[in-house]
């Protein structure tokens, strides 16, 4: 999807922040490039800065997807464990 559509989806799903999925608390909804090489570069930027807006800037013109994350895992364990918003169970009321 394009960046502007992803922004709308991210904004429409702020109600997910604070909920738990697979034992992990959701604390951010971010936009990530779908291309594997770009996604790797995005993840490196994001792990360093924890700033989703700055990290996605170089990839705004690429195909993107919306993910949820837990920043605590990134801070404490140094790894990026995103989950696509499209994989949420129905009871989370995801708005696409």
């Amino acid at each position: 999807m394009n960046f502007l559509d992803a922004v709308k989806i991210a904004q429409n799903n702020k109600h997910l922040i604070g909920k738990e999925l697979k034992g992990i608390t959701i604390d951010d909804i971010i936009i990530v490039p779908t291309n594997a090489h770009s996604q790797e570069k995005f993840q490196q930027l994001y792990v360093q800065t924890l700033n989703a807006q700055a990290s996605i800037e170089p990839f705004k013109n690429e195909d993107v997807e919306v993910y949820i994350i837990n920043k605590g895992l990134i801070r404490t364990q140094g790894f990026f464990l995103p989950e696509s918003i499209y994989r949420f169970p129905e009871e989370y009321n995801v708005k696409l």
Side-chain angles (χ1 to χ4, degrees), residues 63-90:
D63 188 58
V64 295
E65 189 171 346
V66 180
Y67 284 80
I68 58 98
I69 59 164
N70 178 283
K71 289 181 184 180
L73 287 176
I74 295 169
R75 285 187 203 110
T76 60
Q77 298 176 20
F79 66 87
F80 190 80
L81 188 63
E83 181 72 38
S84 173
I85 205 161
Y86 293 104
R87 296 184 186 166
F88 272 67
E90 192 173 308

Side-chain angles (χ1 to χ4, degrees), residues 7-39:
V7 168
K8 289 175 190 171
I9 290 172
Q11 289 174 344
N12 289 338
N13 288 287
K14 293 290 184 188
H15 65 280
L16 298 173
I17 294 174
K19 294 194 180 204
E20 222 176 85
L21 179 69
K22 299 178 185 175
I24 297 173
T25 302
I26 300 164
D27 64 7
D28 204 0
I29 300 172
I30 62 172
I31 300 168
V32 178
T34 57
N35 174 279
H37 180 36
S38 295
Q39 191 172 101

